[in-house]
Amino acid sequence: MTTDKSWRTSAGILLWRSRNSRLEVLLAHQGGPFWVKKDIGHWTIPKGEVEPGEEFVAVARREFAEETGHQAPDHPLIDLGQITQKSGKLVLGWAVLGDLDPSTAMSNTYDMEWPPHSGTVQTFPEIDRVEWFDLDEARRRLKAAQVPFLDRLQAALAPDHT
């Protein structure tokens, strides 16, 4: 078994809407004890890992549903291309027009031993919250490697929604 994780690939969907002539995007904050006090620069698009043989768009749609509790809208997707995160993980992104009330979002969960070496297993949400942000604030909140997704969305929608 290799410890090189650079082969990992994730796929995700960036939900967008226009409010008061401003483009807004829905970002997700990772759940669990490691992320509780991390905010600026630690948000993500809803995404998840692709297993061998899976179709990227199908994974993006599945992960959006798992991490928000809502199906991604059945509107045309905007291909946002791919980025590589610091970990080496490749992330493929698509954007879709839609709306979602963050208070109704509910993520799937995972179990882990917490606190470490305690023997106690606790359940945590993969995503503890989602929120809408305008592009300026989204650039501050999003992981730096994922910011190009915002630029690509903005360019794809120009001049209608910028």
Side-chain angles (χ1 to χ4, degrees):
M1 179 185 223
T2 180
T3 57
D4 176 15
K5 297 181 181 179
S6 63
W7 56 268
R8 295 185 320 169
T9 300
S10 285
I13 290 184
L14 181 62
L15 195 64
W16 67 272
R17 68 183 185 185
S18 183
R19 288 289 183 267
N20 302 318
S21 300
R22 294 195 68 149
L23 180 62
E24 294 182 341
V25 294
L26 186 79
L27 300 182
H29 186 269
Q30 296 180 86
F34 298 120
W35 306 103
V36 170
K37 296 183 180 182
K38 296 182 179 185
D39 189 41
I40 302 299
H42 292 282
W43 290 65
T44 184
I45 68 169
K47 62 177 178 44
E49 286 199 24
V50 177
E51 297 297 327
E54 288 187 300
E55 292 188 24
F56 298 137
V57 171
V59 171
R61 288 187 173 281
R62 178 191 71 220
E63 293 297 325
F64 184 89
E66 287 181 2
E67 294 186 352
T68 67
H70 296 269
Q71 296 297 317
D74 192 22
H75 297 299
L77 296 174
I78 299 170
D79 187 346
L80 300 177
Q82 62 188 39
I83 56 94
T84 303
Q85 297 188 158
K86 274 182 10 181
S87 66
K89 180 184 281 191
L90 182 68
V91 180
L92 298 106
W94 289 267
V96 65
L97 173 64
D99 205 352
L100 185 153
D101 178 352
S103 70
T104 65
M106 179 180 285
S107 176
N108 55 339
T109 60
Y110 67 96
D111 294 331
M112 70 179 269
E113 182 181 8
W114 190 259
H117 313 294
S118 67
T120 302
V121 175
Q122 294 189 45
T123 301
F124 299 97
E126 274 194 46
I127 298 299
D128 62 15
R129 66 188 182 277
V130 296
E131 289 184 34
W132 288 102
F133 297 106
D134 66 30
L135 288 186
D136 289 340
E137 187 60 23
R139 283 184 177 92
R140 293 182 58 236
R141 302 284 181 125
L142 199 57
K143 291 180 178 193
Q146 292 182 24
V147 169
F149 288 148
L150 302 177
D151 300 332
R152 294 170 190 166
L153 174 61
Q154 188 173 26
L157 295 176
D160 296 334
H161 295 91
T162 56

